[in-house]
Every structure is written in C-alpha cells, then in structure tokens.
C-alpha cells in the first residue's frame, strides 16, 4: 500500500504529550480541529524498520481540555467533589437507589464546605472573636465601633463568595452540543457507545441549581438560628422557627431535585435557585436587623450563636448515615444478577474491592471533605485563640463535629504512615519485609499511645523496638532477593550470562512495575481508615444531637476527653496536615499561572477524574470525555469516507486507549442505528458502516485490563472489551512492557503460544494472543551499530521499532478482504 493509504491516528495519554513529540516532527502541519482539540500531521511518512512499510501519522492532541488554563487547576481544592462523582461510574450496574444515595452524599459534601465557611466567618470570627474586646483588638481591629448587625453582614461575604464560585464553576463546560437528535439515553446508566451519554446531560444543570439552592438554604438557616441566641430584647422564637421552617422547605425542594434527578424540562430549577437566594437574603436581613445592637465588648467568652453546633453535627451525622446506606445498596447490587455476572469474570477483570468500589471511592471523598471542613475551622481557632469544647473555658468554643473531625484526621495522619511501609512492601511481593514493617508499625503505635499516658521506660522501649524493626525492614528491602522467575524471564529476553550488568536493574524495575496490580491496596487502606473515622465522627455527632447536655450526662469520659491533651494534640496535628494539603493544592493552582509544565502536571489529575459526565456531583471539573470521543470519531469517519484512506489505525497511549475504545464503541453503535426520518444525526449510518470497514486499533501503555475494566466494570468490563475484540479480531493489538508501572496487557482474546514479532535481528517483541510485550530496553549488551535505548517504562512507545511492525500488521488486517463483519445484530457483507 502507498503511505497515504494508511493513516495512524495517535491519541496521547494523561501527560498531554506535545504533538511534536508524538509525531517526531518539530513542525507538524495542522489538518483539523481547533485550539483545544487539534489534529496535526507529520511532514513525511513513517517507515517500519523491519518490513519497510510506510504510513502517514497524525496526532490528536486533546490535552488542552484539562491542562490549558490556570483557572482549571484551581479545581484542585474541590477534589472531594470530583472523586465522589467518579464513584457513580464504579457501580456494578443500574442502581437507582445507590445513585440517589451518592447524589445525596454529594449534596451533603457541598453543604459541608459552605457551612464550614459560614461557621468560620460568622461564628468564630464575627461572634466569638470580634464579640470579645481582647480578641477583636488583637486580630480584628478594623471592627472597632461596628454594631454587631453590620459585622454579620460582612460575615456573609465568605460564604457568599463560596456559593458564587460553586455556581460559576458548576456552569463551566468544555463540551459543545453537537448536531443530532439522539439526546435520550438508550439505557438508564448510559454507555460509551450511546451518543447522548456524551452530550451535556440535562440532569447536570438541575443538580447544579439544587446544590446552589441547598448551600443558600443552609446559610439562611444558620442566620435564622442565630435569632435564638441569648441576648437582651431577643425576638420571639416564633420568628426564628418560622424562618427555619422556610429554609427547611427550600432544602426539601433541593433534596427532591437531587434524589429524583429529573430532566430539566420537568423541573424549573431556576425558580428553586432564585427562591433560595431570596430566602438567604431574607434570613440574613432579619438576623442583621434584630441582632444589630447585640453587645460586642465582652471581657470574657461570649455565648456562641444558636444553631451552628446543630447544623454542623447534622451534616457530620448525615455523611456517616449515607455511607452506611450506600454500603447496603452496594451489597444488594453485589448479589443481584448483574453483580454476580460481573464477579464471576476472569479474576484479571474482576471488579476491584469485591464490587464495593463505589463505597471505597465515596469514603475517600467524604474523608477529605470532613478533614477540609474540620481542619479549616480548627486552624482559624488556633490562629485567634485556643479551641475549647464548651462555654466556660478560656478560648473559642468549637463545634463538636469540627473538634472530632480535626482529631480524627490527626489519627489518620498517624495511622496511615504506619500502614504505608508494610502495604507497599506487600505490593512488591516482599512479604518478609512487610511482616517486619508491620511489627515495627505496631511498636510505633504503642509508642504513640504511651506518649499520652506516661513517658516512662515503656515509651522509650517501644520507640527503640520500632526503630530497630524499621531498620531491619529497610535493610531487608534493599537486599531482598529479586524473584527467581522474574530474573529468569529477563535472562531469556537477553540471552547470555545471567550476572551481566543491567540484568538486576531490569528485573527489579519489572518487579516494582508489577505492583500496579495491587495499587488498590493502598487506596483501600486509606478508605478503610477514613471510613472508620467518618463513622466515629458521625456517631459522636449523633450523640451530641440526641443529648444536648451530654457533657454532664454519662459517660462523662467521652465528653471530657475532647478537653484532654491527647485530643488537643491530635486536633492540632490533623488541622496542620489538612492545612498543609490545602496549601499545597492552592500553591499548585497558583503555580499553573507561571509554569506550563505545572499546568500539565495538574492536568494529569483532571485527565483521570474528568473523563466522565457530571452526574453525581455537578460541581467538579468539566468533563472532556465527550468532546474527545466525538472529535476522534469524526476524524476517523472523515479520513475513511471523505479522504478515501484505506486503513485508519487508532493508536491510543494510556488514557488515550480509553478515548479510542469509546470512539470505536460510539462508531459501532452509530453503524447499527438507522438514520432518523428527518435525516439529521451525528454520523449517517452509511458513513459509520464504511468507516468501520477501514478502522483498526492499537493500544499501548493501557490500563484497560488491570484498572479500567475492574474499576468501571459496567462500562469497560470484560464483556465490553470482549465484544469489541469479537468485532475487530486481528484489527486490535495491544502493546505493553513489563517495566511499565501503569500499562499492561489487555488479554480479552484467547491466549496463544508465545512467538516473536521481529523488527530486525536484534529487535523483537513477544506476542501472546494479540498482546505484544516489548523488551525494555530493546537490547542490553552494547552494540557498536545501534543507539543504546534507556529504560522507557510508560513512555516513548513510538520509538520502539517493534511498535511500527505492530501498526503495520493492524493496517494489513484492516486492508485484508473480509466476507462478513458482525456488529451486534447487524451483519455486513463484502470485501474491505
């Protein structure tokens, strides 16, 4: 075939590889797309070293969807929302109840953020600090002479800004509404092949308005509750409860929209949003008017504003309850027919965490949200005074949920590092080292406990024992014998002496890279710890709500413990850790204004979490998956149909392999769908059918098997991968390296005996099924006629000559005559 008869269409991964690097051409030619979705072509054909076959190469650069602007990096602070949205797609199937629980939990997390901001500005700063003469003079001198009502109005600025940011960020989108009439999902859960799935969902604006409304309502309820604060000439409680009741109605309206998640055409969510804004202004105005002359010059502690303690504890308890309910919903889904079907798949494709990935991901998101809220409040109190759990002590009274939340993050800050070493050692199959590290972690935990009881010989003995065990574990890791099987495999790849320089390094790199199959252990450990701590915090919040005078009721030790030295030190530690995390995220966001490399690094995070539509939490990074999928599909159809290219090979690296898979799923579904009567659609059926005859797929550095099929089994599970392979056959090959810490085999095809794929006498890879394992490096012994290759790991697959041979074979398979092609219920007959 002529070079122009074959076009390889390369799609980069999360690093946003520049098109110049993808094509090996410093001056590629733009051929299609726009500023954020660009298609560029290399100036000359690429020639395979072994076979001599040539092809044209194009690059699809979608990295600007997530890495192009500094403002997008500021989403980092809202990362709990993005993580929770991801949890929706890890469910095992169609679960209305589980999805509703996730949406409710998302609403609670939004309210937590806004409530924490209002609590800091209104309760801690305006009421307790500015309300006492000493604290106001030291920290808030500009409030001198101000009436309390005026300070209340100023205190509304921070939560008002947060609500505005949530509304503004929620309405941002990188998607456009393409032409076509298919805007109704084919199934309840949607699919990668459903064109409507990639549109801006009509549910998202409704959810966004509901979240904004709930945020306004919660702040309004806080103002309404403040009317009941003990003071001279306090207004009647009837007024306060009436305003609280109005807020409860607005909240109920918002919750109804979130639970039902109706189509925008059925619910006037704009009316809900503006009703909530009106309510907030009403509640704030009444509080300002009736509390205008509250005394602000107290010499000692002041009574906290009424209602703030209750609201914060309610949110903490709701987070706990919803996590438990979500667990129950996932148990039911796990034992449903769909759950059983997914769980009996080959173990390499079996859903992560035994099918409870949604609970794990939601627990991580909730842990972060609780930590951010408690850490913010605790840090502000620590700045202006001393946090105390109740009135009557010297300092600022801090809500029970925030005291407990900061303290539990202190526990997490201690416990997680103790688990880190043994878990990581186990991940790289160094079991003996993991056992030693685990013993050291137990000794260290004992030392931490003894630190707060008595610093006698027991404490120092535990410290010494922990140090010795960690030292032994570290030496064991360094000198751990590399697995015999791994070393033998490396020697087989590079025949010769087994003790040559480089053999050990390659074997160790492969052993470390194999930890990718156990990455979820680390996240599972974090989720387990965080989930337990969220449950503990929610339980204490429930106790506080059930017994308002609980500090004087049995068991007194539970309440008094919050005033002890260990509790204060844990709270300070947790607040410090959370503040550090938030500060690092903010600094990353600021740095993106100055550094393009930093924008790329931050973009990697969003490339991973922003692929999916916003259907659980509407205030997370705008999704790019639909735009990338649609653009890639359109280009493939254009090349095959309008430019008459004989073979179009979609070539996806890492996350790009998912984009390619989604594009082929969409193209396949469009080929099955008849043209509508009005003739208006995204791709005509005839064009989709013609394109499918000429399209092949090469994936490399891909996580389709070990990560995506297990994390998103309903969308990218074994059945979906197998269906694509059944329809493509030898037109889909996968390339991987044993040294790649992220990519691996796909293996949805029958495994065969290993055979070599040669690109030269010394350049070859190993084929099993349609998986080709590249050697990394390409050769180990110095060769005077060849450039030595480094260990490439996850990068530079294009530079391996065997990769060119794989693309050439896929192109040949596309061009080979086929009598029939089966696509679902559609059978295509004829040649290529």
């Amino acid at each position: 075939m002529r070079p122009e008869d074959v076009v390889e269409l390369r799609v980069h991964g999360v690093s946003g590889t520049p098109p110049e690097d993808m094509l090996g051409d410093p001056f590629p030619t733009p051929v299609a797309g726009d500023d954020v979705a660009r298609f560029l072509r290399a100036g000359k054909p690429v020639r395979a070293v072994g076979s001599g076959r040539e092809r044209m190469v194009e690059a699809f650069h979608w990295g600007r969807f997530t890495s192009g602007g500094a403002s997008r990096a500021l989403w980092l602070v809202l990362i709990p929302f993005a993580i929770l949205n991801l949890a929706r797609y890890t469910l095992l199937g169609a679960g209305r109840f589980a999805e509703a629980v996730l949406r409710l939990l998302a609403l609670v997390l939004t309210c937590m953020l806004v409530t924490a901001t209002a609590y800091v500005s209104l309760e801690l700063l305006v009421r307790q600090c500015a309300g006492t003469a000493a604290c106001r003079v030291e920290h808030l001198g500009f409030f001198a002479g101000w009436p309390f009502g005026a300070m209340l109005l100023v205190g509304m600025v921070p939560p008002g800004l947060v609500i505005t940011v949530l509304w503004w960020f929620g309405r941002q989108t990188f998607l456009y509404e393409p032409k076509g009439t298919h805007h109704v999902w084919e199934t309840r859960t949607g699919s990668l092949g459903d064109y409507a799935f990639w549109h801006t969902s009509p549910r998202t604006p409704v959810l966004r308005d509901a979240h904004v409304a709930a945020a306004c309502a919660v702040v309004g309820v806080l103002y309404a509750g403040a009317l009941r604060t003990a003071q001279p000439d306090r207004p009647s409680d009837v007024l306060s409860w009436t305003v609280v009741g109005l807020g409860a109605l607005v909240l109920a309206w918002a919750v109804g929209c979130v639970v039902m998640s109706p189509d925008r055409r059925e619910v006037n969510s704009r009316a809900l949003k503006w009703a909530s804004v009106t309510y907030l202004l009403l509640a704030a105005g009444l509080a300002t008017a009736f509390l205008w002359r509250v005394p602000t010059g107290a010499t000692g502690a002041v009574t906290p504003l009424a209602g703030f303690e209750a609201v914060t504890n309610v949110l903490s308890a709701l987070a706990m309850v919803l996590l438990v309910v979500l667990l129950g919903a996932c148990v039911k889904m796990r034992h449903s027919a769909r759950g059983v079907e997914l769980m009996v798949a080959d173990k390499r494709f079996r859903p992560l965490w035994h099918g409870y990935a949604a609970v794990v991901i939601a627990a991580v998101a909730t842990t972060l949200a609780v930590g951010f809220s408690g850490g913010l409040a605790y840090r502000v109190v620590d700045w202006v005074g001393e946090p105390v759990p109740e009135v009557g002590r010297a300092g600022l009274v801090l809500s029970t949920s925030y005291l407990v939340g900061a303290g539990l993050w202190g526990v997490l800050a201690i416990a997680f590092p103790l688990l880190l070493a043994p878990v990581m050692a186990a991940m790289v199959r160094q079991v003996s080292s993991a056992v030693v590290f685990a013993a050291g972690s137990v000794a260290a935990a004992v030392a931490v406990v003894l630190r707060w009881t008595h610093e006698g010989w027991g404490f120092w003995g535990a410290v010494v024992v922990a140090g010795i065990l960690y030292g032994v574990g570290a030496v064991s890791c360094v000198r751990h014998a590399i697995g015999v099987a791994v070393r033998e495999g490396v020697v087989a790849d590079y025949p010769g002496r087994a003790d040559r320089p480089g053999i050990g390094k390659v074997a160790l790199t492969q052993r470390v890279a194999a930890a990718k199959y156990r990455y979820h252990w680390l996240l599972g450990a974090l989720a387990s710890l965080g989930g337990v701590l969220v449950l503990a915090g929610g339980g204490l919040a429930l106790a506080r709500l059930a017994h308002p005078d609980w500090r004087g009721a049995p068991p007194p030790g539970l309440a008094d413990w919050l005033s002890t030295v260990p509790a204060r030190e844990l709270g300070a530690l947790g607040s410090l850790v959370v503040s550090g995390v938030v500060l690092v995220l903010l600094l990353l966001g600021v740095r993106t204004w100055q550094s393009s490399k930093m924008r790329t690094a931050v973009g990697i995070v969003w490339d991973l979490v922003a692929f999916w539509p916003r259907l659980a939490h509407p205030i997370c990074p705008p999704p790019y998956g639909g735009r990338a999928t649609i653009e890639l599909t359109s280009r493939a159809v254009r090349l095959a149909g309008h430019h008459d290219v004989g073979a179009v090979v979609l070539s996806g690296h890492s996350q790009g392999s998912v984009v390619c898979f989604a594009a082929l799923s969409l193209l396949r579904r469009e080929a099955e769908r008849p043209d509508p009567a009005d003739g208006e659609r995204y791709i005509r059926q005839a064009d989709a059918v013609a394109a499918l005859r000429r399209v092949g797929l090469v994936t490399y550095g891909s996580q389709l098997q070990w990560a995506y099929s297990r994390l998103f089994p309903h969308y990218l599970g074994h059945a979906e991968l197998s269906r694509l392979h059944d329809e493509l056959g030898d037109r889909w090959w996968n390339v991987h390296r044993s040294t790649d810490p992220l990519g691996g085999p796909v293996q949805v095809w029958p495994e065969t005996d290993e055979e070599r794929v040669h690109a030269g006498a010394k350049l070859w890879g190993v084929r099993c099924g349609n998986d080709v394992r590249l050697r990394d490096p390409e050769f180990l012994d110095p060769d005077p006629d060849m450039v030595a290759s480094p260990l490439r790991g996850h990068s530079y697959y294009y530079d391996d000559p065997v990769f060119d041979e794989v693309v050439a074979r896929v192109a040949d398979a596309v061009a080979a005559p086929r009598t029939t092609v089966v696509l679902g219920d559609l059978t295509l007959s004829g040649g290529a």
Side-chain angles (χ1 to χ4, degrees):
M1 292 187 291
R2 299 173 303 167
E4 56 270 23
D5 288 335
V6 179
V7 174
E8 179 194 353
L9 192 49
R10 292 178 177 173
V11 184
H12 64 75
V14 296
S15 62
T17 308
E20 295 82 4
D21 293 344
M22 296 170 67
L23 299 174
D25 185 341
F27 305 106
T29 303
V31 291
D34 53 28
D35 287 343
V36 293
R38 303 180 294 165
F39 292 89
L40 301 99
R41 177 172 287 195
K44 59 182 180 180
V46 172
R47 182 175 182 273
V49 175
S51 61
R53 285 172 284 193
E54 294 183 325
R55 66 187 185 280
M56 301 303 299
V57 181
E58 287 188 8
F60 174 38
H61 187 248
W62 55 265
R64 293 186 179 182
F65 285 141
T66 53
S67 306
S71 62
R72 299 171 192 173
L74 295 178
W75 283 101
L76 283 168
V77 183
L78 302 179
I79 195 170
F81 299 165
I83 294 174
L84 187 67
N85 187 67
L86 196 67
R88 187 263 179 199
Y89 298 95
T90 64
L91 294 171
L92 296 182
R96 288 182 181 274
F97 184 70
E99 290 180 21
V101 172
L102 279 171
R103 291 194 296 270
L104 273 178
L105 183 57
L107 190 68
V108 169
L109 297 194
T110 298
C111 291
M112 274 186 175
L113 172 64
V114 177
T115 300
T117 308
Y119 187 91
V120 167
S121 63
L122 294 173
E123 171 62 40
L124 297 179
L125 296 181
V126 169
R127 175 58 175 169
Q128 297 195 48
C129 185
T132 57
C135 186
R136 183 176 66 244
V137 169
E138 184 177 357
H139 300 287
L140 301 172
F142 60 88
F143 273 147
W146 285 43
F148 185 69
M151 290 190 289
L152 274 181
L153 282 180
V154 174
M156 192 174 70
V157 172
L161 286 175
V162 170
I163 292 172
T164 302
V165 168
L166 294 180
W167 172 78
W168 179 255
F169 275 23
R171 67 188 294 271
Q172 288 184 3
T173 177
F174 301 156
L175 291 174
Y176 61 92
E177 285 295 332
K179 294 180 179 179
T181 57
H182 307 292
H183 295 280
V184 179
W185 285 17
E186 295 178 339
T187 61
R188 265 204 69 261
T189 55
S191 67
L192 303 188
D194 185 354
Y195 179 58
F197 181 76
W198 297 117
H199 279 252
T200 300
S201 172
R203 300 180 181 184
T204 302
V206 175
L207 290 176
R208 182 194 65 222
D209 290 345
H211 278 244
V212 171
C216 291
V218 167
V219 177
V221 167
L222 290 174
Y223 271 105
L227 291 170
R228 301 185 64 249
T229 304
Q231 55 166 316
D233 302 325
R234 192 182 79 176
S236 169
D237 285 350
V238 174
L239 175 64
S240 175
W241 285 115
T242 300
V243 181
V244 170
L246 290 175
L249 290 176
V250 175
L251 273 174
W253 188 357
V255 169
C257 289
V258 168
V259 171
M260 301 304 295
S261 189
D263 189 285
R264 190 179 177 85
R265 291 169 296 183
E266 300 176 8
V267 168
N268 190 350
S269 59
R270 289 179 180 271
L272 166 63
K273 180 174 62 179
W274 291 114
S276 67
V277 172
T278 302
Y279 168 74
L280 172 57
L281 296 176
L282 172 66
L286 289 173
T288 300
F290 282 99
L291 302 177
W292 186 266
R293 298 189 181 278
V294 170
T296 59
T299 56
V302 297
T303 304
L305 293 173
F308 281 72
E309 171 86 12
V311 170
T312 56
N313 287 328
V314 164
L315 291 175
S316 181
L318 280 175
M320 174 203 69
V321 170
L322 289 173
L323 272 182
V324 173
V325 174
L326 178 63
L327 175 61
C330 288
V331 169
K332 182 178 180 181
M333 293 183 67
R334 168 68 174 76
H335 293 90
S336 67
R338 176 61 174 165
V340 172
E341 175 188 350
L342 291 172
M343 292 305 299
V344 298
D346 186 291
K347 65 179 181 180
R348 294 171 295 188
F349 298 88
R350 202 164 295 162
L352 291 176
W353 299 295
H354 302 285
Y356 298 107
V359 180
V360 172
I361 303 300
V364 172
T366 307
T367 301
L368 289 172
V370 169
F372 284 7
S373 300
L376 171 65
Y378 201 102
R379 183 51 47 197
V380 171
V381 172
D382 203 41
W383 169 55
V384 299
E386 180 74 19
V388 296
E390 58 189 351
V391 179
R393 301 173 185 265
L396 275 68
V397 179
L398 189 60
S399 169
T400 303
S401 63
Y402 293 151
L403 275 173
V404 172
L408 293 180
W409 255 79
V411 174
L412 182 64
I414 294 173
F416 187 68
L418 294 180
L419 282 177
L420 197 59
V423 171
M424 292 189 68
M427 286 169 59
V428 295
R429 299 290 191 183
Q430 297 188 189
V431 179
S432 58
S433 301
V435 171
V436 176
F437 278 132
S441 296
V442 172
V446 171
V448 171
V449 174
L450 292 176
R451 162 70 175 76
W452 287 313
T453 55
H454 59 281
E455 290 191 27
W457 63 267
F459 166 75
W460 292 108
V463 170
V464 171
V465 171
I468 292 174
L469 288 172
Y470 273 118
V472 172
V475 173
S476 173
C477 280
V478 173
R479 298 188 175 183
H480 197 282
I482 298 176
V484 175
V486 175
R487 192 179 186 92
E488 290 177 350
V490 174
V491 173
D493 280 346
Y494 307 98
R497 290 175 50 195
D499 58 348
R500 284 171 298 163
I503 291 288
K505 180 180 180 180
V506 174
L508 180 60
T509 304
Q510 291 186 8
R511 192 174 176 86
V512 172
K516 60 177 170 279
Y517 298 106
R518 295 171 288 280
Y519 285 164
H520 61 285
W521 292 4
L522 203 57
L523 187 60
L526 176 62
S528 299
L529 282 174
V532 169
L533 297 180
V534 168
L535 293 179
L540 287 175
L542 277 177
R544 183 71 174 90
L545 290 168
H547 303 284
D549 59 343
W550 72 312
R551 300 190 190 285
L558 183 63
D560 294 340
W561 190 82
L562 292 174
S563 302
T564 61
V565 173
R568 291 200 300 269
E569 291 187 355
L570 282 174
L573 174 62
S575 173
L576 185 64
V577 171
V578 171
S579 300
V581 171
V582 174
L583 181 62
V584 168
L585 294 177
L586 288 174
L587 288 176
L588 284 175
V590 172
R591 280 287 293 161
T592 57
W593 290 93
Q594 305 168 340
S595 170
S596 59
K597 290 184 178 180
M598 189 62 70
R599 281 198 295 272
T600 298
V602 171
I604 290 175
V605 178
W606 297 143
D607 290 348
L608 296 174
V609 301
F611 178 76
W612 303 94
R614 295 176 288 186
L615 293 177
H617 202 300
I619 306 170
C620 58
Y624 69 88
R627 176 73 185 272
T629 298
I630 291 168
E631 290 282 358
L632 182 60
T633 309
S634 299
R635 184 59 182 168
V637 171
R638 187 76 182 173
L639 288 171
H642 297 271
H643 295 284
D644 199 28
V645 174
V648 179
V649 180
L650 301 184
S651 170
H653 175 234
S654 193
Q655 180 76 6
S657 67
V658 182
V659 176
C660 290
F661 179 89
L664 280 171
S665 299
L666 179 57
L667 187 61
R668 188 175 71 244
R669 186 67 190 96
E670 291 296 302
E672 298 172 355
R673 183 185 292 113
D675 292 330
D678 58 11
E680 184 181 357
R681 63 177 295 167
Y682 161 52
I683 297 176
R684 293 188 304 112
Q685 185 181 29
D687 291 339
V689 170
L692 277 173
R693 296 181 183 277
R694 302 186 180 190
V695 171
L697 174 63
V698 175
T699 53
Y700 41 100
S702 174
Q703 302 88 27
L704 280 173
Q705 183 229 82
W706 72 268
Y708 288 109
S709 66
R710 303 183 68 196
L711 190 57
F712 311 108
H714 185 71
Y715 297 91
L716 287 159
H718 181 262
E720 299 301 319
L721 297 178
S722 297
R723 187 174 298 113
L724 181 64
H725 168 254
D726 291 342
E727 295 170 0
L728 292 180
D730 283 340
R731 292 186 290 154
W732 177 15
W733 284 38
N734 180 70
V735 180
H736 65 99
R737 297 188 181 110
S738 297
T739 55
D740 190 339
L742 296 175
V746 173
Q747 294 174 328
V748 296
W749 31 71
E751 296 184 41
T752 60
D753 293 335
E754 292 187 351
E755 63 173 288
R756 291 186 178 182
V757 177
H758 284 275
K762 298 181 180 180
L763 301 172
W764 49 269
V766 180
R767 177 186 179 185
C768 179
N770 280 14
D771 272 309
V772 176
R773 179 178 60 82
L774 303 181
R775 296 185 302 165
D776 187 26
E778 294 153 19
F779 55 91
L780 200 59
D781 300 319
D783 191 311
D785 296 321
M786 299 184 71
V787 178
S789 63
L791 279 168
R792 296 193 174 107
H794 189 59
S795 305
Y796 302 107
Y797 276 86
Y798 315 122
D799 293 341
D800 195 307
V802 178
F803 176 84
D804 292 329
E805 292 300 321
V806 171
V807 176
R809 293 199 183 192
V810 171
D812 288 345
V814 172
R818 296 185 300 278
T819 55
T820 59
V821 177
V822 179
L823 297 168
D825 298 329
L826 181 67
T827 300
L828 311 176
S829 300

